[in-house]
């Protein structure tokens, strides 16, 4: 009887580590393939928040922050691997680019997990808290990224070649507005809301059975 609880705790930790590692691997695979960064004209549509949201709702805010960090690092690396906007950012400031790409994603994953934790305490049947997490994860990622971009690179103007690579916008402010008003954010929101909430809930139910 006395060994039951320690054994259960070890099993829970093992399941947590395995799921975290799997989701981190998914983030990396998505980042290195067209699945993660879908090019829509000169801009990019990223779906990598989906595994981050799943980790945040099934494993907690800390794992959400960790996966957000993995996402952010892959985003930062993309700046050196052909991302039109990222290439412009690093020419102005690598440290500020790191903040825009990495810190914002860590905060999005962390706050998504915290918000789900609060909502799930009032949603005993799990009927709406997962959807809130899916929507908030996408919104937080977009708001933090665009906010940091506007704050840290406000006033940056582009050369004619750089403007051409971004579809004609010639300032950072216009780029932020174009992303916010374009199709990227709505599509990301829809996909994260549907996949993040549905898969997250399914994984959570499966994990409860395992535990």
């Amino acid at each position: 009887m006395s060994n039951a609880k320690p054994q259960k705790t070890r099993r829970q930790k093992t399941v947590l580590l395995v799921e975290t590692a799997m989701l981190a691997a998914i983030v990396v695979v998505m980042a290195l393939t067209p699945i993660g960064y879908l090019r829509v004209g000169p801009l990019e549509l990223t779906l990598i928040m989906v595994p981050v949201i799943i980790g945040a709702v099934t494993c907690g805010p800390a794992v959400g922050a960790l996966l957000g960090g993995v996402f952010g690092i892959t985003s930062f690396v993309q700046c050196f691997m052909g991302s039109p906007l990222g290439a412009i950012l690093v020419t102005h400031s690598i440290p500020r680019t790191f903040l825009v790409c990495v810190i914002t994603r860590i905060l999005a994953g962390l706050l998504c997990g915290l918000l789900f934790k609060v909502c799930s305490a009032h949603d005993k049947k799990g009927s709406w808290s997962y959807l809130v997490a899916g929507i908030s994860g996408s919104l937080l990622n977009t708001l933090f990224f665009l906010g940091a971009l506007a704050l840290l690179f406000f006033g940056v103007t582009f050369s004619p070649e750089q403007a051409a690579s971004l579809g004609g916008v010639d300032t950072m402010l216009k780029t932020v507005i174009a992303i916010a008003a374009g199709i990227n954010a709505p599509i990301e929101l829809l996909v994260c809301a549907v996949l993040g909430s549905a898969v997250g809930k399914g994984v959570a139910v499966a994990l409860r059975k395992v535990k």
Side-chain angles (χ1 to χ4, degrees):
M1 187 72 178
S2 59
N3 293 329
K5 187 173 181 180
Q7 289 176 355
K8 183 178 179 181
T9 301
R10 284 196 295 271
R11 184 170 63 179
Q12 289 174 337
K13 289 181 178 179
T14 301
V15 171
L16 177 64
L17 287 174
V18 170
E19 184 187 358
T20 302
M22 289 179 62
L23 288 170
I26 291 172
V27 168
V28 174
V29 169
M30 290 180 70
L32 296 177
T33 63
I35 300 174
Y37 292 97
L38 303 177
R39 297 292 166 86
V40 181
L43 302 178
E44 296 169 342
L45 169 65
T46 177
L47 306 179
I48 304 182
M49 270 307 291
V50 172
V52 177
I53 293 168
I54 293 171
V57 301
T58 58
C59 300
V63 172
L66 174 64
L67 294 173
V70 176
F71 170 24
I73 291 172
T74 65
S75 177
F76 182 65
V77 171
Q78 287 291 323
C79 295
F80 302 90
M81 297 177 61
S83 168
L85 178 59
I88 295 172
L89 296 181
V90 294
T91 60
H92 287 277
S93 173
I94 291 178
R96 280 183 285 161
T97 303
F98 181 86
L99 290 175
V100 170
C101 293
V102 180
I103 303 304
T104 57
R105 273 56 187 266
I106 292 175
L107 290 175
L110 174 66
L111 292 180
C112 177
L114 288 173
L115 183 59
F116 174 76
K117 192 173 183 179
V118 172
C119 292
S120 60
H122 301 280
D123 180 29
K124 303 302 181 183
K125 295 182 179 180
S127 57
W128 53 269
S129 54
Y130 291 92
L131 181 60
V132 170
I135 294 173
S136 66
S138 177
L139 283 177
L140 289 170
N141 174 56
T142 300
L143 290 174
F144 286 156
F145 177 79
L146 293 182
L149 195 62
L151 179 65
L152 297 176
F153 290 92
F154 183 82
V156 170
T157 58
F158 307 148
S159 68
E161 294 78 13
Q162 291 173 333
S165 70
L166 291 173
V169 292
D170 56 1
T171 68
M172 189 59 70
L173 182 59
K174 289 181 181 179
T175 302
V176 170
I177 294 173
I179 296 174
I183 64 172
N184 295 48
I187 293 177
E188 287 181 15
L189 178 62
L190 178 62
V191 173
C192 288
V194 174
L195 290 182
S197 59
V199 178
K201 185 174 182 178
V203 172
V205 172
L207 286 177
R208 282 198 290 269
K209 293 180 180 180
V210 173
K211 295 176 183 179

